[in-house]
Amino acid sequence: MEDLTHYIDGQRVKGTSGRFADVMNPATGEVQARVPLATTAELNAAVEKAAAAQVAWGATNPQRRARVMMKFGALINEHMDELAELVSREHGKTLPDGRGDVQRGLEVVEVCMGGPAMLKGEFTDNGGPGIDLYSMRQPLGVVAGITPFNFPAMIPLWKMAPALTCGNAMILKPSERCPSTALRLAELLKEAGLPDGVLQVVNGDKEAVDAILDHETVQAVGFVGSTPIAQYIYGRACSNGKRAQCFGGAKNHMIVMPDADMDKAADALVGAGYGAAGERCMAVSVAVPVGEETADALVEKLVPRIEKLKVGPYTAGEDVDYGPVITKQAEERIRGLIDSGVQQGAELVVDGRDFTLQGYENGYFVGPSLFDRVTPEMDIYKEEIFGPVLSQVRAGSYEEALKLTMDNPYGNGTAIFTADGDTARDFAHRVNVGMVGINFPIPVPLSYHTFGGWKKSAFGDLNQYGPDAFRFYTKTKTVTARWFSGIKEGGEFNFKAME
Ligand code: NAD
């Protein structure tokens, strides 16, 4: 069994707290590594060293910082298979999905290669007599990223790439369930030329997080995880005077109109509902067909597709559709929610509770489940299940489907499947959700746009990556400059004797 470390000042460093968390292999239920959980003192020491390293890094010209991102991007590509394997080994997702996790993070690194263009300031010529104004974007200093288990490569990359490109130092606190990818990314960044101390990976739990939130040198906190923790971190970071953007959970609805291509809608629902075992913040967990006929047709299309899904460990090869869920507790919670759906009167059309995999009896596998006739009062509708469970809520009309989506407390992503441009346009315009797909089930925007939910899916302002990230990780300084008339008026050019 491997003992993992922190990554401090350019090297792997053992923890000193004596506290560890087990890193499980979700496919077998075995402990595969232990990750050290940092004390407040260890966190504080990492912050102090980061603050010292940030001074020279912040003064390095933006193009040189961008060159580190260019080399980093090349190294990520070179190590793609190794990184995907690290992701899959601890998270359990399939290898193609592991590669997708790395790829969607890499795309943010690629935008950062052009970071200097995003960091350019503004200039007003002749804002008054002899007066010019200019504004510059300067790094904040030391910032922190606190990331969830479900994208061990992508979300750390969404945090570190823009923060470092802007000239900050970063304390990254990855999920204690999947910490290895972040440690490896830190090594690749060093190889790409990042000076030691500019990225410190501190592993830990609540103690390390609270130490980040209370450390007065830490200027900004970027968090991704569940809604209750997002709200807690946002509150504590803000009351300590920090910038905070905290992204939370989701319950994403996909509306299927009667005119939609039902095969395409069913394919989309199966991929977005069960991919990564439903452990994506942009997973579609609620299908909302409009009209009884649409609902019946959709169930008919979904069932054979769901029954064909292959569930297995990532080591079983590329034809596995999804893997185990992250922990035993997650597995039990998901099974408990399915039980509650049955008790509360939903129709369990496909039951994944009895699924077992020969040779992996101790793994955290849950078969795919489909519920029909779910209503908003049921726990399976109210809770973010974060498992391979799709709930169908039947709506009588488009307006009813829209209202259901809008009344939901979460607002991360949503989608509509329709052949009618006017309905699609109306939906995109009116719905109170941050990311909208039209005939597109998981509308994660490309890396030069931005990513962020509304309502209980995000606290704070500015989205992740894209132009917003360059705003979040810099502060604006504006200079108003007046130069009184100089030598061009009244200068003397003739040769004179000294007076
Ligand atoms: P989580 O909230 O349990 O953990 C996230 C991070 O917070 C981890 O680093 C963890 O160590 C830390 N943490 C956990 N409990 C804490 C506490 N009491 N005090 C301080 N820190 C604490 O989330 P998770 O289970 O790792 O991730 C799944 C959740 O993340 C889901 O709700 C999912 O929807 C959400 N998510 C959201 C987005 C988004 O962009 N909105 C993206 C991915 C995941």
Side-chain angles (χ1 to χ4, degrees):
M1 189 179 61
E2 195 186 355
D3 260 353
L4 298 173
T5 60
H6 307 294
Y7 189 85
I8 307 290
D9 287 349
Q11 40 188 316
R12 293 196 182 225
V13 172
K14 282 189 178 161
T16 59
S17 68
R19 288 200 307 129
F20 291 88
D22 288 337
V23 179
M24 309 303 291
N25 177 342
T28 61
E30 285 159 0
V31 179
Q32 58 179 327
R34 294 195 311 168
V35 62
L37 302 175
T39 59
T40 302
E42 284 175 292
L43 187 282
N44 290 350
V47 172
E48 258 104 70
K49 289 173 176 165
Q54 190 273 331
V55 177
W57 178 245
T60 302
N61 82 51
Q63 206 153 7
R64 282 183 192 276
R65 296 199 302 252
R67 281 185 199 138
V68 172
M69 289 298 141
M70 285 179 210
K71 185 91 193 290
F72 186 39
L75 286 167
I76 292 174
N77 270 313
E78 218 174 280
H79 293 268
M80 177 63 82
D81 288 344
E82 177 201 343
L83 290 165
E85 221 260 326
L86 276 181
V87 167
S88 297
R89 200 168 77 196
E90 292 180 350
H91 177 283
K93 62 178 76 175
T94 66
L95 275 177
D97 210 25
R99 271 195 287 277
D101 191 323
V102 181
Q103 176 63 31
R104 292 308 296 256
L106 170 62
E107 288 167 14
V108 170
V109 177
E110 286 167 350
V111 168
C112 291
M113 295 176 192
M118 311 289 266
L119 290 168
K120 274 189 310 192
E122 295 171 331
F123 190 88
T124 297
D125 170 38
N126 222 18
I131 297 173
D132 301 324
L133 280 87
Y134 58 95
S135 56
M136 10 181 178
R137 295 204 159 275
Q138 296 192 326
L140 302 177
V142 180
V143 301
I146 301 163
T147 56
F149 81 83
N150 67 328
F151 284 100
M154 180 181 86
I155 296 180
L157 286 167
W158 287 4
K159 300 290 172 211
M160 63 170 85
L164 301 177
T165 303
C166 291
N168 301 289
M170 172 165 264
I171 307 292
L172 178 69
K173 207 299 285 170
S175 167
E176 60 275 41
R177 306 197 194 294
C178 303
S180 292
T181 313
L183 292 168
R184 188 70 188 112
L185 288 171
E187 286 178 340
L188 294 181
L189 260 172
K190 179 183 169 109
E191 202 179 326
L194 188 77
D196 291 349
V198 175
L199 176 70
Q200 312 274 54
V201 181
V202 180
N203 281 306
D205 56 3
K206 182 170 168 54
E207 180 173 348
V209 171
D210 287 348
I212 288 171
L213 301 177
D214 294 342
H215 200 300
E216 65 176 28
T217 302
V218 176
Q219 300 295 308
V221 177
F223 170 87
V224 180
S226 58
T227 288
I229 309 297
Q231 191 157 11
Y232 161 71
I233 287 181
Y234 181 68
R236 190 150 167 177
C238 288
S239 67
N240 284 331
K242 302 183 194 313
R243 249 177 223 204
Q245 50 172 206
C246 300
F247 299 92
K251 194 83 183 174
N252 303 318
H253 293 49
M254 181 172 129
I255 296 178
V256 181
M257 296 300 294
D259 61 4
D261 179 323
M262 284 302 150
D263 285 302
K264 290 207 164 64
D267 285 342
L269 277 170
V270 170
Y274 301 102
E279 291 176 324
R280 290 184 184 134
C281 66
M282 290 292 275
V284 173
S285 48
V286 185
V288 192
V290 172
E292 292 297 318
E293 268 178 42
T294 315
D296 293 341
L298 197 57
V299 170
E300 200 175 300
K301 299 271 184 198
L302 282 170
V303 171
R305 285 167 167 81
I306 295 169
E307 284 173 344
K308 256 194 262 156
L309 286 173
K310 292 204 190 91
V311 184
Y314 80 91
T315 44
E318 306 243 331
D319 63 336
V320 170
D321 293 307
Y322 73 82
V325 298
I326 187 70
T327 56
K328 189 79 196 156
Q329 297 91 293
E331 183 196 336
E332 282 165 2
R333 183 179 160 273
I334 294 163
R335 286 182 195 281
L337 277 162
I338 299 172
D339 292 343
S340 81
V342 175
Q343 281 150 19
Q344 291 169 18
E347 188 184 315
L348 187 55
V349 184
V350 181
D351 185 352
R353 286 174 297 182
D354 294 334
F355 179 88
T356 49
L357 195 62
Q358 210 184 356
Y360 293 90
E361 287 78 4
N362 295 323
Y364 315 136
F365 292 96
V366 184
S369 292
L370 174 68
F371 275 111
D372 194 5
R373 302 184 191 278
V374 174
T375 60
E377 305 73 43
M378 296 175 182
D379 290 338
I380 48 169
Y381 180 80
K382 288 193 283 197
E383 296 274 321
E384 181 187 33
I385 302 177
F386 226 52
V389 182
L390 182 64
S391 298
Q392 173 157 288
V393 181
R394 294 176 174 231
S397 65
Y398 164 70
E399 286 298 332
E400 203 183 307
L402 176 65
K403 185 171 183 314
L404 182 80
T405 310
M406 293 185 63
D407 287 349
N408 193 276
Y410 294 106
N412 215 37
T414 186
I416 187 165
F417 271 62
T418 178
D420 178 38
D422 177 54
T423 308
R425 193 175 172 279
D426 183 78
F427 181 70
H429 180 70
R430 286 167 65 196
V431 74
N432 56 359
V433 172
M435 293 171 282
V436 181
I438 296 173
N439 295 320
F440 208 95
I442 307 187
V444 176
L446 288 173
S447 53
Y448 40 93
H449 289 259
T450 69
F451 180 107
W454 288 12
K455 299 185 276 182
K456 293 269 184 228
S457 294
F459 301 85
D461 67 29
L462 295 175
N463 280 354
Q464 304 188 82
Y465 65 73
D468 272 10
F470 287 84
R471 291 188 192 105
F472 183 74
Y473 288 116
T474 56
K475 54 195 172 200
T476 305
K477 184 185 285 173
T478 307
V479 179
T480 304
R482 174 162 60 191
W483 292 98
F484 299 106
S485 56
I487 199 163
K488 79 178 190 313
E489 284 170 25
E492 298 204 24
F493 297 99
N494 47 344
F495 189 72
K496 287 207 311 190
M498 290 277 278
E499 284 172 6

